[in-house]
Amino acid sequence: GLELQNADSELRASKKIVLAAVQHRGFSLRLASEDLRGDREVVLAAVGQNGCSLRYASTQLRDDKEIVLKALGQQAEALQYASEALREDQEVVLKALKEVSSECAWKIQRVASEKLLIQKEFMLLVARSVPKWQALFNQRTRLN
């Protein structure tokens, strides 16, 4: 990160340099050129090191399911930076719920699609797939 912080625009646009930086510190993506924040290889490397670096990826790549799933595997809270469409995707939200710690569950509930969280079928899937969310399932199904 610090390496790119003082770098000129030419270095921030160098894929080789930015790739090395994000592999060391995912948040270095914020200092990369706009083009490189839209480069799939660079963004995959960044979210592989720090899932929440997804926030600095291009809008298009925040809608890329493979990238978002990789980010969630690193840090479930990265769901907040995924596209709205992916926050409605069952596989994506389920991955976030599987990865998140119990203390941070509220963060996933806050950013996941409410439309998805009120679907009884989805909540049954959550309860079967992620036993720690049985209480969430019970709470949601009582509300419907």
Side-chain angles (χ1 to χ4, degrees):
L2 294 176
E3 307 84 30
L4 284 181
Q5 194 158 358
N6 300 316
D8 62 24
S9 59
E10 188 177 320
L11 291 177
R12 290 178 188 214
S14 167
K15 184 172 180 173
K16 182 179 177 182
I17 290 171
V18 170
L19 199 50
V22 299
Q23 288 169 337
H24 177 69
R25 186 169 185 266
F27 273 137
S28 295
L29 185 61
R30 71 182 172 85
L31 301 168
S33 69
E34 188 174 336
D35 283 348
L36 290 179
R37 284 184 274 134
D39 183 285
R40 201 164 194 286
E41 182 183 4
V42 170
V43 172
L44 275 168
V47 300
Q49 199 285 320
N50 184 314
C52 284
S53 63
L54 181 64
R55 78 185 296 179
Y56 302 111
S58 68
T59 303
Q60 180 182 359
L61 293 182
R62 285 187 276 127
D63 193 42
D64 182 306
K65 193 170 185 174
E66 180 186 353
I67 288 174
V68 170
L69 288 172
K70 185 166 186 170
L72 294 174
Q74 184 58 243
Q75 224 169 342
E77 293 85 354
L79 182 63
Q80 65 189 307
Y81 304 115
S83 68
E84 187 175 336
L86 289 180
R87 290 191 315 250
E88 293 179 0
D89 183 283
Q90 285 190 9
E91 181 184 359
V92 169
V93 174
L94 189 59
K95 171 81 170 172
L97 288 170
K98 284 180 179 178
E99 299 294 331
V100 75
S101 65
S102 299
E103 307 82 59
C104 294
W106 63 272
K107 292 180 182 178
I108 303 303
Q109 285 183 262
R110 188 188 62 181
V111 298
S113 165
E114 184 64 25
K115 239 183 345 187
L116 185 61
L117 293 176
I118 63 171
Q119 291 177 16
K120 191 168 188 171
E121 299 77 26
F122 178 69
M123 295 312 296
L124 279 168
L125 176 64
V126 169
R128 280 193 309 270
S129 305
V130 192
K132 65 183 175 182
W133 300 123
Q134 185 69 45
L136 172 63
F137 168 75
N138 291 337
Q139 175 191 358
R140 290 285 177 168
T141 53
R142 276 196 303 271
L143 296 176
N144 293 330

